[in-house]
Amino acid sequence: LARALGSPHPPLTARVMVNRLWQMLFGRGLVATPEDFGTQGAWPSHPELLDWLAVEFVESGWDLKHVLRTIVTSATYRQSSAAGPAVWARDPDNELLARGPRFRLSAEAVRDQALAAAGLLTCRQGGPSVKPYQPDGLWKDVATISQYDQDHGANLYRRSLYTFFKRTVAPPGMMVFDAAGRETCTVRTIRTNTPLQALTLMNGVTFIEAARVLASRVMQEESTLEDRLAAAFRRVLSRNPREAELAVLVRGYQRHLARFAADPAAARQFVHTGEFPQQPDLDPAEQA
C-alpha cells in the first residue's frame, strides 16, 4: 500500500496533495472536487499544470515547502486581486486565474493570524489539546460533561490546531467562521459571510486581547500617532498604509480617543480584557 501511494506512475497521491495546496492558496483547487479524483470528480482546469506540480513535488523529495514556495513566488499568485467588470463576467470563479486570489482565511487561521500579529502566538509543536477562552456556562447548557476548565498562560495562545474540540459543543469562535464539524473528514469547507463573524471579531475575548497587546507594543515602540498606526498596520497586513488609509485610521483613532477619554471606566475595562499582563505605564484611553 505504501509503495502504491508513493508511486510516481501515476502520481495520484502527488496530484491530490498539490491540488490541496493550490486550494489552500487560491481558494479553489485546479480540480474543483479535491475529495474526488475519480470518474465522478471534476476535470482539472489546468491539467498540464497539475501534472507539472505533481512531478515537481515527487522529484523534490515530497518537499511541501518547495511546492508552496514555487506557487507563491509565481506570477499567477502574485497578480492583483482587483479586476474589471469584463474579467469578473467572463470568469467569476477565477477558474482561468486571470487575477490573484481573494478569499477569507480559514477559521483556524483567522484566530492564529490575530495572535501572531499581536506577538502572542505560541508556536510550540505537539502536546495535549488546550482549552482557550470560551463563553461562560456554554457546556452547562448543552453538554453532558458540564465543566469547562479553561487553560491559562501560554496555552491560551497555542495554534488553533491544538484547541480542544468537543463534537457536541464545538468552539463557537471557530464554528462561526465555518470550521469543519469534525464528524466526517472534510477537505473543502464552505465560506460564509454573516454579521456573527464581525461581532465575534469585535467582542470576542481572544480578538480584543490580541488588539490590546498589539496596541501596547506599538505604543512602546513608536512615539508619534502616525508611526504607531503604521506599525500596527504593517504587523497585520505586511505592508505600509497608503496615505488615504492612514488618514482614515487617524480620524478613527481621534473619534474613539474622545469617547474613551470621556468614559475612563469603559477604557479601563476594555484594556483589561484577557489574562495577558497589562502595561501599567500606558494611558488607558489612548490604548483603548
Side-chain angles (χ1 to χ4, degrees):
L1 175 60
R3 282 193 293 270
L5 289 175
S7 172
H9 306 292
L12 177 59
T13 301
R15 281 195 186 108
V16 171
M17 191 63 225
V18 298
N19 190 64
R20 300 275 182 93
L21 298 177
W22 192 273
Q23 174 183 269
M24 181 178 71
L25 295 169
F26 283 87
R28 181 188 187 279
L30 294 170
V31 176
T33 54
E35 72 282 356
D36 187 355
F37 270 55
T39 57
Q40 301 300 311
W43 187 257
S45 60
H46 300 71
E48 295 88 353
L49 175 58
L50 180 67
D51 277 348
W52 186 89
L53 286 171
V55 172
E56 185 74 11
F57 185 34
V58 173
E59 292 184 349
S60 70
W62 303 85
D63 189 338
L64 290 171
K65 289 185 178 181
H66 171 76
V67 176
L68 286 169
R69 187 181 298 108
T70 300
I71 296 175
V72 300
T73 55
S74 68
T76 301
Y77 182 81
R78 294 163 62 191
Q79 295 179 105
S80 169
S81 60
V87 175
W88 280 95
R90 185 168 64 250
D91 188 19
D93 296 326
N94 200 27
E95 184 177 354
L96 301 178
L97 305 170
R99 60 184 184 274
R102 183 173 70 183
F103 58 95
R104 176 175 57 73
L105 294 173
S106 66
E108 293 82 2
V110 167
R111 176 178 173 273
D112 290 358
Q113 189 268 351
L115 295 175
L120 287 173
L121 187 66
T122 302
C123 294
R124 180 173 63 86
Q125 295 184 352
S129 298
V130 295
K131 295 179 179 178
Y133 302 114
Q134 183 169 283
D136 292 336
L138 181 64
W139 280 22
K140 293 181 180 179
D141 293 333
V142 293
T144 54
I145 302 175
S146 60
Q147 185 65 31
Y148 182 85
D149 297 319
Q150 177 190 300
D151 273 304
H152 304 282
N155 280 345
L156 286 173
Y157 315 115
R158 298 210 65 192
R159 290 176 58 200
S160 301
L161 171 71
Y162 297 106
T163 296
F164 184 90
F165 205 105
K166 185 173 177 62
R167 183 180 56 81
T168 54
V169 196
M174 282 205 260
M175 299 310 294
V176 74
F177 287 102
D178 310 309
R182 302 192 183 184
E183 294 181 358
T184 59
C185 178
T186 304
V187 299
R188 179 174 45 153
T189 58
I190 60 171
R191 283 184 173 88
T192 61
N193 187 10
T194 74
L196 287 175
Q197 295 167 356
L199 290 170
T200 298
L201 294 175
M202 292 171 64
N203 301 295
V205 175
T206 295
F207 297 101
I208 295 178
E209 182 181 40
R212 190 248 303 171
V213 175
L214 172 61
S216 67
R217 289 187 168 161
V218 298
M219 288 175 72
Q220 292 173 305
E221 294 169 2
E222 307 292 344
S223 56
T224 69
L225 172 59
E226 288 76 9
D227 287 344
R228 289 173 175 177
L229 291 172
F233 196 98
R234 280 194 302 273
R235 283 177 179 260
V236 175
L237 294 180
S238 300
R239 67 173 175 86
N240 289 317
R242 302 183 182 94
E243 187 175 342
E245 293 169 329
L246 188 59
V248 171
L249 293 174
V250 169
R251 289 197 300 271
Y253 172 86
Q254 292 170 341
R255 184 175 69 253
H256 290 298
L257 176 61
R259 177 168 65 91
F260 280 116
D263 191 352
R268 286 193 297 272
Q269 181 182 10
F270 200 56
V271 300
H272 283 83
T273 301
E275 295 188 2
F276 193 82
Q278 170 65 19
Q279 296 295 329
D281 54 338
L282 299 179
D283 179 69
E286 289 186 6
Q287 189 178 3

